[in-house]
Amino acid sequence: MTERLPEIQLLDPLVANQIAAGEVVERPASVVKELVENSLDAGATHVRISLSEGGRARIEVSDNGQGLNESSARLAFARHATSKLRTADDLLHMRTFGFRGEALASILAVSRVTLTSRRPEDAVGIRLRGDGTTALSSQPVGCPVGTSIVVEDLFFNVPARLKFLRTPATELGHILRFLDALALGRPDLHLTLYHGDRKVLDYPADPDLAKRASAVLGEDIARDLYPIEYEGEYRVLGRLSEPSSHHAGPGQLTLLVNNRHVQDRTISHAIIHAYGTLLPRGRYPVGVLSLQCPPEALDVNVHPAKSEVRFVSSQSVHHAVVAAIEPMLAQVPWVRQGLQPEIDALGPSQTLADVDVSSSSRAASSAAGGTSRSSGSRGNSPVSTGGWLGPRGGGAAPSLGSSRPASTSPALAPQTLDFDSISGSTVSGPSVAGPFSGLRYVGQVGKCFLVCEAADSLVIIDQHAAHERVLFEQFVAGTQPGALRTQALLIPMTVALAPEELAVLLEQSELLGHLGFDLEASGPRMVRVRSQPAILTRDLAQEVRALAASLLQGGRGQATQERLERVAATLACHAAVRAGDAMNPEAVQGLLLAMDHVDLAAYCPHGRPAVMRSRWEDLGKWFART
């Protein structure tokens, strides 16, 4: 017999508020967002935020807005109490950040709250206190005009939610991300943030977007940003990077709609569409794009945290964004100079380690189709691999597995890019030609593919994918003590990152230390690199940003082995020889020798084939010889 369900009844208001808090209050950054937006709606021009333990222990937001009297302050903590709208039609004309009337009630339900406020016309202010219930104590108090709200012990009465909070550094990173976006959307706002006794950021009011972008993003990034402006049905303003300054993921691309920080697929797609082939697949420009439109042209009531919007005409928005970006891309100098870099062939005495391609040329090469992650064919193919090339897999990259012995990746020479340095002494076992080193090298075609001859077939090797697999194995083996050589930097390099990227690098500092990186924080959005793997010879800043993006994309719930493989694959992809790099016969022979001693040499770490083979009889069929 089915158990009879309980009778339907109204939820206790306290339970209802705690449930609602689950939608509105996810972490300290959610509290900061709601309180700061209330300050802006109150007309504040200066907002001060003070945190303890990343906001887990204490959050204080103070402003110079118009303030509240006692009756209004009490009503502000009631659910669905708001001054922003009166009828449902008002939702179509929203010009404020907040409007739901849920934020303060939700925050009060899961924390201890103290509100202090005074209006300009009042002689004294009011102070209200509450701790997880709707009961509020009050007392008159002397205070400046404006409002200050202190939120302490977040989730003290909801321990199930408390365990989902991350480290103070991670929570601070989320708060910084919101404040950075807010600063870019409201350059007229003076914004300061303190963490403990330390001032973390201070953005004085400055209507010049270029100066505000320099303050928020850093001068090294801001100087590569170019202005965009479009005036039509929608107004589009902002500053975006040149194609060579692209970033893995949208972590350093801020999107604003009517000064509200949002995540929007229509705008993101329009930006990628405008850049077209100038950006490698999966990469995003850096900067800020602000879309201004009539309030009735969008719906802001589609997400409890107001982080998403819905446009009445997505097609018109897409057109406006593309129209704003395309003129900038057509006028900046790198497009007129051409995209294909000039790379001289290596001389007879040079090795692959001598290849030197500037970062701008490298980015241009990627934009022109030379990216290491170009979409190759998988599965069916006119050529096939033989058994000696390793197992074939057309799907995801093969997993190394924790049971694989470390000895399967030999201790290659420190400068792996210099294949001439790989000798038989570095590889255990008899000095005999292996399946790859035994091939007869014929030549390089397209500065991308190595053509070799076996006894019974033609073998074609993708030089980047093959080298990527070799480096991947070396990085994985490098987690064994002393297996990977590191190189201390004479002058430590500082790299600008998004706050969440800095947080994930610091969280994974032990793993990155095994791989040869010595990193430390150098401010809320900067990391200082003191050493790197000796194997890396390209742009170190680009490598660090790629590492951070890779760790974020993988998620923090990954097992250690999965994180290791993800990071190793990222490093290998960026350090490997690229399409467009010339290789002399000595370097090719070194690569073939290294491939003999690597697991799954026929596939790159991302599952893309590195080696293809066609038997002589198959070639004969092409020319009607059989």
Side-chain angles (χ1 to χ4, degrees):
M1 177 180 292
T2 304
E3 183 179 355
R4 184 178 180 83
L5 295 175
E7 295 293 330
I8 296 175
Q9 58 183 357
L10 288 174
L11 280 174
D12 180 271
L14 178 60
V15 177
N17 283 345
Q18 290 180 345
I19 293 174
E23 295 181 342
V24 178
V25 184
E26 179 185 4
R27 60 192 338 139
S30 307
V31 176
V32 173
K33 176 180 184 297
E34 297 293 345
L35 297 183
V36 170
E37 288 181 347
N38 279 346
S39 296
L40 297 180
D41 289 340
T45 59
H46 185 190
V47 178
R48 182 185 187 274
I49 304 102
S50 179
L51 309 172
S52 295
E53 297 182 19
R56 294 166 52 112
R58 188 176 188 273
I59 299 169
E60 180 179 2
V61 176
S62 304
D63 66 57
N64 62 347
Q66 64 185 23
L68 300 166
N69 60 18
E70 181 175 357
S71 60
S72 294
R74 285 186 173 277
L75 194 58
F77 284 99
R79 285 184 57 76
H80 308 305
T82 177
S83 62
K84 315 301 171 54
L85 53 82
R86 292 291 182 268
T87 68
D89 289 341
D90 292 339
L91 285 171
L92 302 178
H93 307 280
M94 294 305 306
R95 298 183 182 274
T96 57
F97 286 102
F99 53 87
R100 292 173 178 268
E102 295 177 301
L104 289 180
S106 297
I107 293 170
L108 176 63
V110 294
S111 64
R112 309 182 198 278
V113 178
T114 301
L115 179 146
T116 305
S117 187
R118 182 169 75 88
R119 300 181 303 178
E121 62 268 28
D122 295 334
V124 296
I126 182 68
R127 176 168 291 163
L128 301 180
R129 284 194 175 98
D131 57 353
T133 69
T134 56
L136 293 169
S137 64
S138 66
Q139 67 180 98
V141 64
C143 62
V145 173
T147 301
S148 172
I149 299 183
V150 178
V151 177
E152 297 175 293
D153 300 330
L154 185 62
F155 299 135
F156 79 98
N157 55 352
V158 193
R161 296 295 305 280
L162 184 62
K163 67 182 181 181
F164 286 99
L165 295 183
R166 302 299 179 183
T167 64
T170 298
E171 298 301 340
L172 177 61
H174 286 284
I175 293 171
L176 285 169
R177 175 60 177 162
F178 162 70
L179 294 179
D180 283 349
L182 177 66
L184 291 170
R186 289 289 304 270
D188 60 318
L189 175 68
H190 185 185
L191 192 63
T192 56
L193 171 67
Y194 290 83
H195 190 229
D197 296 330
R198 181 170 58 96
K199 181 186 286 189
V200 177
L201 61 81
D202 187 357
Y203 298 142
D206 192 335
D208 188 335
L209 181 58
K211 293 181 180 178
R212 178 54 66 92
S214 180
V216 174
L217 301 176
E219 293 182 4
D220 59 331
I221 293 178
R223 63 170 167 258
D224 291 330
L225 304 183
Y226 290 78
I228 61 171
E229 185 171 0
Y230 173 82
E231 194 78 47
E233 181 182 2
Y234 303 96
R235 190 183 186 200
V236 183
L237 300 171
R239 299 184 73 84
L240 294 177
S241 65
E242 58 180 89
S244 64
S245 297
H246 54 75
H247 190 264
Q252 291 191 342
L253 177 61
T254 300
L255 304 181
L256 304 165
V257 176
N258 288 354
N259 297 330
R260 185 193 303 273
H261 182 215
V262 299
Q263 300 171 353
D264 185 76
R265 292 183 179 181
T266 298
I267 298 177
S268 296
H269 183 272
I271 293 172
I272 299 302
H273 178 78
Y275 275 79
T277 57
L278 295 176
L279 285 180
R281 187 176 182 180
R283 310 290 293 191
Y284 289 78
V286 177
V288 54
L289 184 142
S290 175
L291 177 77
Q292 300 292 328
C293 63
E296 57 270 16
L298 76 159
D299 181 3
V300 296
N301 190 31
V302 296
H303 192 278
K306 304 180 288 293
S307 60
E308 299 176 8
V309 295
R310 182 185 296 118
F311 294 102
V312 173
S313 176
S314 297
Q315 185 176 2
S316 298
V317 171
H318 193 280
H319 170 76
V321 174
V322 172
I325 297 173
E326 283 184 338
M328 180 269 286
L329 293 175
Q331 294 175 13
V332 290
W334 63 85
V335 175
R336 293 196 299 269
Q337 293 172 356
L339 295 175
Q340 184 61 39
E342 296 296 331
I343 304 175
D344 295 333
L346 294 175
S349 62
Q350 290 177 299
T351 67
L352 195 56
D354 297 318
V355 176
D356 181 19
V357 183
S358 67
S359 59
S360 59
S361 296
R362 177 66 62 215
S365 176
S366 297
T371 176
S372 62
R373 300 194 184 194
S374 59
S375 56
S377 61
R378 291 186 179 185
N380 297 331
S381 174
V383 294
S384 61
T385 59
W388 55 272
L389 293 180
R392 182 178 180 84
S399 175
L400 294 177
S402 58
S403 62
R404 186 185 61 176
S407 61
T408 55
S409 288
L412 302 181
Q415 292 294 334
T416 306
L417 284 176
D418 185 355
F419 289 112
D420 293 335
S421 68
I422 300 177
S423 63
S425 62
T426 63
V427 180
S428 60
S431 179
V432 295
F436 291 100
S437 60
L439 297 173
R440 186 178 75 87
Y441 174 58
V442 177
Q444 182 190 38
V445 294
K447 287 188 177 181
C448 182
F449 303 104
L450 309 177
V451 180
C452 301
E453 179 184 358
D456 61 346
S457 57
L458 176 71
V459 179
I460 302 177
I461 300 173
D462 183 324
Q463 63 189 40
H464 171 78
H467 190 205
E468 190 177 4
R469 168 57 69 174
V470 170
L471 296 183
F472 174 80
E473 295 282 353
Q474 184 168 2
F475 276 116
V476 171
T479 58
Q480 305 298 321
L484 191 65
R485 208 177 104 193
T486 62
Q487 175 182 328
L489 301 181
L490 181 62
I491 301 177
M493 172 180 285
T494 56
V495 182
L497 298 168
E500 61 267 33
E501 293 173 330
L502 174 61
V504 76
L505 285 181
L506 296 180
E507 286 180 359
Q508 301 299 328
S509 59
E510 182 177 358
L511 172 65
L512 297 176
H514 287 316
L515 292 170
F517 286 96
D518 184 2
L519 307 174
E520 65 177 6
S522 180
R525 288 174 300 280
M526 302 288 290
V527 66
R528 181 183 291 111
V529 185
R530 296 188 295 192
S531 71
Q532 67 174 72
I535 197 173
L536 292 180
T537 60
R538 302 187 189 274
D539 184 1
L540 178 58
Q542 180 182 352
E543 304 297 344
V544 172
R545 293 187 179 109
L547 281 179
S550 178
L551 287 169
L552 285 174
Q553 290 171 0
R556 293 181 169 87
Q558 282 189 318
T560 300
Q561 183 70 16
E562 295 174 1
R563 288 197 301 269
L564 167 62
E565 293 179 6
R566 174 177 287 273
V567 171
T570 299
L571 289 172
C573 180
H574 286 265
V577 60
R578 306 293 182 87
D581 290 345
M583 295 182 66
N584 63 24
E586 291 80 8
V588 172
Q589 197 60 43
L591 174 59
L592 297 177
L593 175 61
M595 292 173 66
D596 282 342
H597 305 279
V598 167
D599 287 349
L600 301 170
Y603 292 91
C604 83
H606 305 96
R608 199 164 55 85
V611 181
M612 304 300 285
R613 169 186 170 189
S614 181
R615 298 183 181 276
W616 298 132
E617 52 265 33
D618 295 328
L619 291 177
K621 292 177 183 178
W622 295 358
F623 296 94
R625 284 187 169 273
T626 57

Coordinates of all heavy atoms in Angstrom, one line a residue, residues 450-513:
L450 N 55.8 15.0 -41.3 CA 57.0 14.3 -41.6 C 56.7 13.1 -42.3 O 55.9 12.2 -41.9 CB 57.7 14.0 -40.2 CG 57.9 15.1 -39.2 CD1 58.5 14.6 -38.0 CD2 58.7 16.3 -39.9
V451 N 57.3 12.9 -43.5 CA 57.0 11.8 -44.4 C 58.2 10.8 -44.2 O 59.3 11.1 -44.4 CB 56.9 12.2 -45.9 CG1 56.7 11.0 -46.8 CG2 55.8 13.2 -46.0
C452 N 57.8 9.6 -43.9 CA 58.8 8.5 -43.6 C 58.4 7.3 -44.4 O 57.3 7.1 -44.8 CB 58.9 8.2 -42.1 SG 59.3 9.6 -41.1
E453 N 59.4 6.4 -44.5 CA 59.2 5.1 -45.3 C 59.5 3.9 -44.4 O 60.6 3.9 -43.8 CB 60.1 5.1 -46.5 CG 59.9 3.8 -47.3 CD 60.9 3.8 -48.5 OE1 61.6 4.8 -48.7 OE2 60.9 2.8 -49.2
A454 N 58.6 3.0 -44.3 CA 58.8 1.7 -43.6 C 59.0 0.7 -44.7 O 58.9 1.0 -45.9 CB 57.6 1.4 -42.7
A455 N 59.3 -0.5 -44.3 CA 59.5 -1.6 -45.2 C 58.3 -1.8 -46.1 O 58.5 -2.2 -47.3 CB 59.9 -2.9 -44.5
D456 N 57.1 -1.7 -45.6 CA 55.9 -2.0 -46.4 C 54.9 -0.9 -46.5 O 53.8 -1.1 -46.9 CB 55.3 -3.2 -45.7 CG 54.8 -3.0 -44.3 OD1 55.3 -1.9 -43.7 OD2 54.0 -3.7 -43.7
S457 N 55.3 0.3 -46.1 CA 54.3 1.4 -46.1 C 54.9 2.8 -46.0 O 56.1 2.9 -45.8 CB 53.3 1.2 -44.8 OG 54.1 1.2 -43.7
L458 N 54.0 3.7 -46.3 CA 54.3 5.1 -46.2 C 53.7 5.6 -44.8 O 52.6 5.4 -44.5 CB 53.7 5.9 -47.3 CG 53.8 7.5 -47.3 CD1 55.2 7.9 -47.6 CD2 52.8 8.1 -48.3
V459 N 54.6 6.3 -44.0 CA 54.1 6.7 -42.7 C 54.2 8.3 -42.7 O 55.3 8.8 -43.0 CB 55.0 6.1 -41.6 CG1 54.6 6.6 -40.2 CG2 54.9 4.6 -41.6
I460 N 53.2 8.9 -42.2 CA 53.1 10.4 -42.1 C 52.9 10.7 -40.7 O 51.9 10.2 -40.0 CB 52.0 11.0 -43.0 CG1 52.2 10.6 -44.5 CG2 52.0 12.5 -42.9 CD1 51.2 11.0 -45.4
I461 N 53.7 11.6 -40.1 CA 53.7 12.0 -38.7 C 53.3 13.4 -38.6 O 54.0 14.3 -39.3 CB 55.0 11.7 -38.0 CG1 55.3 10.2 -38.1 CG2 55.0 12.1 -36.6 CD1 56.7 9.8 -37.6
D462 N 52.4 13.8 -37.8 CA 52.1 15.2 -37.4 C 53.1 15.6 -36.4 O 53.1 15.1 -35.3 CB 50.6 15.3 -36.9 CG 50.2 16.7 -36.6 OD1 51.1 17.5 -36.1 OD2 49.0 17.0 -36.7
Q463 N 54.0 16.5 -36.8 CA 55.1 16.8 -35.9 C 54.7 17.4 -34.6 O 55.3 17.1 -33.5 CB 56.1 17.8 -36.6 CG 55.5 19.1 -37.0 CD 56.4 19.9 -37.8 OE1 57.1 19.4 -38.7 NE2 56.5 21.2 -37.6
H464 N 53.6 18.2 -34.6 CA 53.2 18.8 -33.3 C 52.5 17.8 -32.4 O 52.9 17.7 -31.2 CB 52.1 19.9 -33.6 CG 51.5 20.4 -32.3 ND1 52.1 21.3 -31.4 CD2 50.3 20.1 -31.7 CE1 51.3 21.5 -30.4 NE2 50.2 20.8 -30.6
A465 N 51.6 16.9 -32.9 CA 51.0 15.9 -32.1 C 51.9 14.9 -31.6 O 51.8 14.5 -30.4 CB 49.9 15.2 -33.0
A466 N 52.9 14.5 -32.4 CA 53.9 13.6 -31.9 C 54.8 14.2 -30.8 O 55.0 13.5 -29.7 CB 54.8 13.1 -33.0
H467 N 55.3 15.4 -31.0 CA 56.1 16.0 -30.0 C 55.3 16.3 -28.7 O 55.8 16.2 -27.6 CB 56.7 17.3 -30.5 CG 57.7 17.9 -29.7 ND1 58.0 19.3 -29.7 CD2 58.6 17.4 -28.7 CE1 59.0 19.5 -28.8 NE2 59.3 18.4 -28.2
E468 N 54.0 16.6 -28.9 CA 53.1 16.9 -27.8 C 53.0 15.7 -26.9 O 53.1 15.8 -25.6 CB 51.8 17.3 -28.3 CG 50.8 17.8 -27.2 CD 49.5 18.3 -27.8 OE1 49.3 18.1 -29.0 OE2 48.7 18.8 -27.1
R469 N 52.9 14.5 -27.5 CA 52.8 13.2 -26.7 C 54.1 13.0 -25.9 O 54.1 12.6 -24.8 CB 52.5 12.1 -27.6 CG 52.7 10.7 -27.0 CD 51.8 10.5 -25.7 NE 50.4 10.4 -26.0 CZ 49.5 10.2 -25.1 NH1 49.9 10.0 -23.8 NH2 48.2 10.2 -25.4
V470 N 55.3 13.2 -26.6 CA 56.6 13.0 -25.9 C 56.7 14.0 -24.7 O 57.1 13.5 -23.6 CB 57.7 13.3 -26.9 CG1 59.1 13.3 -26.2 CG2 57.7 12.2 -28.0
L471 N 56.3 15.2 -24.9 CA 56.4 16.2 -23.8 C 55.4 15.8 -22.7 O 55.7 16.0 -21.5 CB 56.2 17.6 -24.3 CG 57.3 18.1 -25.2 CD1 56.9 19.6 -25.6 CD2 58.6 18.0 -24.7
F472 N 54.3 15.4 -23.1 CA 53.2 15.0 -22.1 C 53.8 13.9 -21.2 O 53.6 14.0 -20.0 CB 52.0 14.5 -22.8 CG 50.9 14.0 -21.9 CD1 50.1 14.8 -21.2 CD2 50.8 12.6 -21.8 CE1 49.1 14.3 -20.4 CE2 49.8 12.0 -21.0 CZ 49.0 12.9 -20.3
E473 N 54.4 12.9 -21.8 CA 54.9 11.8 -21.0 C 56.1 12.3 -20.0 O 56.2 11.8 -18.9 CB 55.5 10.7 -21.9 CG 54.4 10.0 -22.7 CD 53.6 9.0 -21.9 OE1 54.0 8.7 -20.8 OE2 52.7 8.4 -22.4
Q474 N 56.8 13.3 -20.5 CA 57.9 13.7 -19.7 C 57.4 14.6 -18.5 O 57.9 14.5 -17.4 CB 58.9 14.6 -20.5 CG 60.1 15.0 -19.7 CD 61.2 15.6 -20.6 OE1 61.1 15.7 -21.8 NE2 62.3 16.0 -19.9
F475 N 56.3 15.4 -18.8 CA 55.8 16.1 -17.7 C 55.1 15.2 -16.6 O 55.2 15.4 -15.4 CB 54.7 17.1 -18.2 CG 55.3 18.4 -18.7 CD1 55.2 18.7 -20.0 CD2 55.9 19.2 -17.8 CE1 55.7 19.9 -20.5 CE2 56.5 20.4 -18.3 CZ 56.3 20.8 -19.6
V476 N 54.5 14.1 -17.1 CA 53.9 13.2 -16.1 C 55.0 12.5 -15.3 O 54.9 12.4 -14.1 CB 53.0 12.2 -16.9 CG1 52.6 11.1 -15.9 CG2 51.8 12.8 -17.5
A477 N 56.1 12.1 -16.0 CA 57.2 11.5 -15.3 C 57.8 12.5 -14.4 O 58.5 12.1 -13.4 CB 58.2 10.9 -16.3
G478 N 57.7 13.8 -14.7 CA 58.3 14.8 -13.9 C 57.8 14.9 -12.5 O 58.4 15.6 -11.6
T479 N 56.6 14.3 -12.2 CA 56.1 14.3 -10.8 C 56.9 13.4 -9.9 O 56.7 13.5 -8.7 CB 54.6 13.9 -10.8 OG1 54.5 12.6 -11.4 CG2 53.8 14.9 -11.6
Q480 N 57.7 12.6 -10.5 CA 58.6 11.8 -9.6 C 59.8 12.7 -9.2 O 60.3 13.5 -10.0 CB 59.2 10.6 -10.4 CG 58.1 9.7 -11.0 CD 57.2 9.1 -9.9 OE1 57.7 8.7 -8.8 NE2 55.9 9.1 -10.2
P481 N 60.2 12.6 -7.9 CA 61.2 13.5 -7.4 C 62.5 13.4 -8.3 O 63.0 12.4 -8.5 CB 61.5 13.0 -6.0 CG 60.2 12.3 -5.6 CD 59.7 11.7 -6.9
G482 N 63.0 14.6 -8.7 CA 64.2 14.7 -9.4 C 64.1 14.3 -10.9 O 65.1 14.4 -11.6
A483 N 62.9 14.0 -11.4 CA 62.8 13.5 -12.8 C 62.7 14.7 -13.8 O 63.0 14.5 -14.9 CB 61.6 12.6 -12.9
L484 N 62.3 15.9 -13.3 CA 62.1 17.0 -14.3 C 62.9 18.1 -13.8 O 62.8 18.6 -12.7 CB 60.6 17.4 -14.3 CG 60.2 18.4 -15.4 CD1 60.4 17.7 -16.8 CD2 58.8 18.8 -15.2
R485 N 63.8 18.6 -14.7 CA 64.7 19.7 -14.3 C 63.9 21.0 -14.3 O 63.1 21.3 -15.2 CB 65.8 19.8 -15.3 CG 67.1 20.3 -14.7 CD 68.2 20.3 -15.7 NE 68.5 21.6 -16.3 CZ 69.2 21.8 -17.4 NH1 69.7 20.8 -18.0 NH2 69.4 23.0 -17.8
T486 N 64.2 21.9 -13.4 CA 63.6 23.2 -13.3 C 64.6 24.3 -13.5 O 65.8 24.0 -13.4 CB 62.9 23.4 -11.9 OG1 63.9 23.4 -10.9 CG2 61.9 22.4 -11.6
Q487 N 64.1 25.4 -13.9 CA 65.0 26.5 -14.2 C 64.6 27.8 -13.4 O 63.5 28.2 -13.5 CB 65.0 26.9 -15.7 CG 65.8 28.1 -16.1 CD 65.7 28.4 -17.6 OE1 65.6 27.5 -18.4 NE2 65.7 29.7 -17.9
A488 N 65.4 28.2 -12.5 CA 65.1 29.4 -11.7 C 65.2 30.6 -12.5 O 66.1 30.7 -13.4 CB 66.0 29.5 -10.5
L489 N 64.3 31.6 -12.4 CA 64.3 32.8 -13.2 C 65.2 33.8 -12.5 O 65.0 34.1 -11.3 CB 62.9 33.4 -13.4 CG 61.9 32.4 -14.1 CD1 60.6 33.1 -14.2 CD2 62.5 32.0 -15.4
L490 N 66.1 34.4 -13.2 CA 67.0 35.4 -12.6 C 66.2 36.6 -12.1 O 66.4 37.1 -11.0 CB 68.0 35.9 -13.7 CG 69.0 37.0 -13.2 CD1 69.9 36.4 -12.1 CD2 69.9 37.5 -14.4
I491 N 65.2 37.0 -12.9 CA 64.2 38.1 -12.5 C 62.8 37.4 -12.5 O 62.3 37.1 -13.6 CB 64.3 39.3 -13.4 CG1 65.7 39.8 -13.5 CG2 63.3 40.3 -13.0 CD1 65.9 41.0 -14.4
P492 N 62.2 37.2 -11.3 CA 60.9 36.6 -11.3 C 59.9 37.4 -12.2 O 60.0 38.6 -12.3 CB 60.5 36.7 -9.8 CG 61.8 36.7 -9.1 CD 62.7 37.5 -10.0
M493 N 59.0 36.7 -12.9 CA 58.1 37.3 -13.8 C 56.7 37.4 -13.1 O 56.3 36.4 -12.4 CB 57.9 36.5 -15.1 CG 56.8 36.9 -16.0 SD 56.6 36.0 -17.5 CE 58.1 36.6 -18.4
T494 N 56.0 38.5 -13.2 CA 54.7 38.7 -12.7 C 53.7 38.6 -13.8 O 54.0 39.2 -14.9 CB 54.5 40.0 -11.9 OG1 54.9 41.1 -12.8 CG2 55.4 40.1 -10.7
V495 N 52.6 37.9 -13.6 CA 51.6 37.7 -14.7 C 50.3 38.1 -14.1 O 49.9 37.7 -13.0 CB 51.6 36.2 -15.1 CG1 50.6 35.9 -16.2 CG2 53.0 35.7 -15.5
A496 N 49.6 38.9 -14.9 CA 48.2 39.4 -14.5 C 47.2 38.3 -14.8 O 47.2 37.7 -15.9 CB 47.9 40.6 -15.3
L497 N 46.3 38.0 -13.9 CA 45.3 37.0 -14.0 C 44.0 37.5 -13.5 O 43.9 38.4 -12.7 CB 45.7 35.7 -13.2 CG 47.0 35.0 -13.6 CD1 47.4 34.0 -12.5 CD2 46.9 34.3 -14.9
A498 N 42.9 36.8 -13.9 CA 41.6 37.0 -13.3 C 41.7 36.5 -11.8 O 42.4 35.5 -11.6 CB 40.5 36.3 -14.1
P499 N 40.9 37.0 -10.9 CA 41.0 36.6 -9.5 C 40.8 35.1 -9.3 O 41.5 34.4 -8.6 CB 39.9 37.4 -8.8 CG 39.8 38.6 -9.7 CD 40.0 38.2 -11.1
E500 N 39.8 34.5 -10.1 CA 39.6 33.1 -9.9 C 40.7 32.2 -10.5 O 41.0 31.1 -10.0 CB 38.2 32.7 -10.5 CG 38.1 32.9 -12.0 CD 37.5 34.3 -12.3 OE1 37.7 35.2 -11.6 OE2 36.8 34.4 -13.4
E501 N 41.4 32.8 -11.5 CA 42.6 32.1 -12.0 C 43.7 32.0 -11.0 O 44.4 31.0 -10.8 CB 43.0 32.7 -13.3 CG 42.0 32.6 -14.4 CD 42.3 33.3 -15.7 OE1 43.0 34.4 -15.6 OE2 42.0 32.9 -16.8
L502 N 43.9 33.2 -10.4 CA 45.0 33.2 -9.3 C 44.7 32.3 -8.2 O 45.5 31.5 -7.7 CB 45.1 34.7 -8.8 CG 46.0 34.9 -7.6 CD1 47.5 34.5 -8.0 CD2 46.0 36.3 -7.1
A503 N 43.4 32.2 -7.8 CA 43.0 31.3 -6.7 C 43.2 29.9 -7.0 O 43.8 29.1 -6.2 CB 41.5 31.6 -6.4
V504 N 42.9 29.5 -8.3 CA 43.1 28.0 -8.6 C 44.5 27.7 -8.7 O 45.0 26.6 -8.4 CB 42.3 27.7 -9.9 CG1 43.0 28.2 -11.1 CG2 42.1 26.2 -10.0
L505 N 45.4 28.6 -9.2 CA 46.8 28.3 -9.2 C 47.4 28.2 -7.8 O 48.2 27.3 -7.6 CB 47.6 29.5 -9.9 CG 47.4 29.5 -11.5 CD1 48.2 30.7 -12.0 CD2 47.9 28.2 -12.1
L506 N 47.0 29.0 -6.9 CA 47.5 28.9 -5.5 C 47.0 27.6 -4.9 O 47.7 27.0 -4.1 CB 47.0 30.1 -4.7 CG 47.6 31.5 -5.2 CD1 47.1 32.6 -4.3 CD2 49.1 31.4 -5.2
E507 N 45.7 27.2 -5.2 CA 45.2 26.0 -4.6 C 46.0 24.8 -5.1 O 46.1 23.8 -4.3 CB 43.7 25.9 -5.0 CG 42.8 26.8 -4.2 CD 41.3 26.6 -4.6 OE1 41.1 25.7 -5.5 OE2 40.5 27.3 -4.1
Q508 N 46.4 24.8 -6.3 CA 47.1 23.7 -6.9 C 48.6 23.9 -6.9 O 49.3 23.4 -7.8 CB 46.6 23.4 -8.3 CG 45.1 23.2 -8.4 CD 44.7 21.9 -7.6 OE1 45.5 21.0 -7.5 NE2 43.5 21.9 -7.1
S509 N 49.1 24.7 -6.0 CA 50.6 25.1 -6.0 C 51.4 23.8 -5.8 O 52.5 23.7 -6.4 CB 50.9 26.1 -4.9 OG 50.5 25.6 -3.7
E510 N 51.0 22.9 -5.0 CA 51.8 21.7 -4.8 C 51.9 20.8 -6.1 O 53.0 20.4 -6.4 CB 51.1 20.8 -3.7 CG 51.9 19.6 -3.3 CD 51.3 18.8 -2.2 OE1 50.3 19.2 -1.7 OE2 51.9 17.7 -1.9
L511 N 50.8 20.7 -6.8 CA 50.8 19.9 -8.0 C 51.7 20.6 -9.0 O 52.6 20.0 -9.7 CB 49.4 19.8 -8.6 CG 49.3 19.2 -10.0 CD1 49.8 17.8 -10.1 CD2 47.9 19.3 -10.5
L512 N 51.6 22.0 -9.1 CA 52.4 22.7 -10.1 C 53.9 22.7 -9.7 O 54.8 22.8 -10.5 CB 51.9 24.2 -10.2 CG 50.5 24.3 -10.7 CD1 50.0 25.8 -10.7 CD2 50.4 23.8 -12.2
G513 N 54.1 22.6 -8.4 CA 55.5 22.5 -7.9 C 56.2 21.3 -8.4 O 57.4 21.3 -8.7

